[in-house]
Amino acid sequence: MSDDQTPADAVNDIADAAIDHIEALTTENKALKEQVLRYAAEAENTRRRAEREANDARAYAIQKFGKDLLAAADNLSRALAAAPADSADSVVKTFVVGVEMTAKSLQTAFETNGLKKIEPEKGVKFDPHQHQAMMEQPSTEVGAGGVIQVLQPGYELLGRLIRPAMVVVAAKGSTGPSAAAEPAGAPANPYAANDASHDGSHDGEAVDTKA
C-alpha cells in the first residue's frame, strides 16, 4: 500500500485484481470446456467414421463371396420345392431332411455375416429399392401395387442391396384390399395409383423396375 492510499483503496484494488483474475479464469475455463467438447465431437466422428469404414471393408470383402453363395441357396430352395412331400421312401425322406438342414445352415451363416433375405409377404407394397417387378397382373386378392408372389428372394448385405427380390406385382385397377398406408418419405410405388381404366397391356409382361 502506497503512502497516499487509504486502507479502503487498497481493499478495492485487491478486490478488482481478484475480480479480473476470476474473470480471466472463467474465460479460460470456458475456452477449455469448448475445446474438450470439440475434441470429444471429433473423437466421436472419428469413431463413427472408423466403424463405417470397417463395415464397408467387411461388406466389400464378403460381397462377392456372398453373391456366389446365393446360387447355392437358390438351388437348395428349388430342390426343396421339387421334393415329394408324401414319399414313403425312407431314403427320399432322409435326403429331403438333409437338404432342409443344409438350407437352414446356409441361411444361418448368411444372417451371421449380415446377409439378410428379402422375401416380402403377399400384399406388401412394392418397394423399388428392394424389389424388381418381373410381371404385372390384375388381382382380386391384392390391391394395386402389392406383391402377389415372390419368384426369387432378394438379399441385402449390411443394409446394402446386392440382389432385389423378383416379384409379381398387382397391376393398377386391381380390386384386392390395399396394404397399410406407406410412411412419409417412402419410395414412389409405380403401380399403386388408382386407375380403374387399366387396359391390361402389361398383364403377364416383364416390367423392368430394378432399383
Side-chain angles (χ1 to χ4, degrees):
M1 183 177 67
S2 61
D3 295 339
D4 57 348
Q5 274 188 321
T6 64
D9 291 336
V11 169
N12 288 336
D13 289 344
I14 294 172
D16 290 341
I19 291 173
D20 291 341
H21 185 61
I22 291 172
E23 289 179 348
L25 290 176
T26 300
T27 300
E28 183 179 0
N29 184 53
K30 183 179 179 181
L32 289 173
K33 284 184 176 180
E34 291 177 350
Q35 188 176 32
V36 168
L37 291 175
R38 184 168 62 253
Y39 287 159
E42 290 176 355
E44 178 65 14
N45 290 336
T46 300
R47 184 191 68 79
R48 290 180 179 178
R49 184 167 57 253
E51 182 178 353
R52 184 171 61 251
E53 290 174 353
N55 287 337
D56 290 345
R58 180 187 177 200
Y60 178 80
I62 64 177
Q63 183 171 354
K64 185 179 184 302
F65 182 62
K67 282 184 176 181
D68 291 341
L69 285 180
L70 294 187
D74 293 339
N75 289 333
L76 288 173
S77 296
R78 295 188 189 101
L80 289 174
D86 54 355
S87 175
D89 191 328
S90 60
V91 175
V92 173
K93 287 183 177 180
T94 301
F95 175 77
V96 172
V97 170
V99 174
E100 288 177 346
M101 293 177 64
T102 302
K104 289 180 180 179
S105 296
L106 185 58
Q107 288 299 323
T108 299
F110 283 172
E111 293 172 3
T112 300
N113 288 279
L115 191 60
K116 180 181 177 183
K117 180 186 284 189
I118 302 172
E119 195 167 17
E121 296 180 357
K122 186 176 182 178
V124 170
K125 286 292 185 182
F126 176 83
D127 182 352
H129 290 171
Q130 291 192 320
H131 308 153
Q132 181 178 358
M134 305 304 294
M135 190 176 295
E136 181 185 359
Q137 294 178 346
S139 175
T140 58
E141 298 180 353
V142 176
V147 173
I148 298 176
Q149 179 185 359
V150 177
L151 301 177
Q152 184 182 68
Y155 286 87
E156 62 180 10
L157 178 62
L158 300 176
R160 293 184 176 187
L161 184 70
I162 63 172
R163 188 178 80 182
M166 297 181 181
V167 300
V168 179
V169 183
K172 297 175 183 178
S174 294
T175 58
S178 299
E182 297 178 358
N189 189 332
Y191 303 99
N194 294 324
D195 184 3
S197 62
H198 176 65
D199 60 8
S201 60
H202 294 289
D203 295 353
E205 297 180 3
V207 182
D208 186 9
T209 57
K210 184 176 180 181

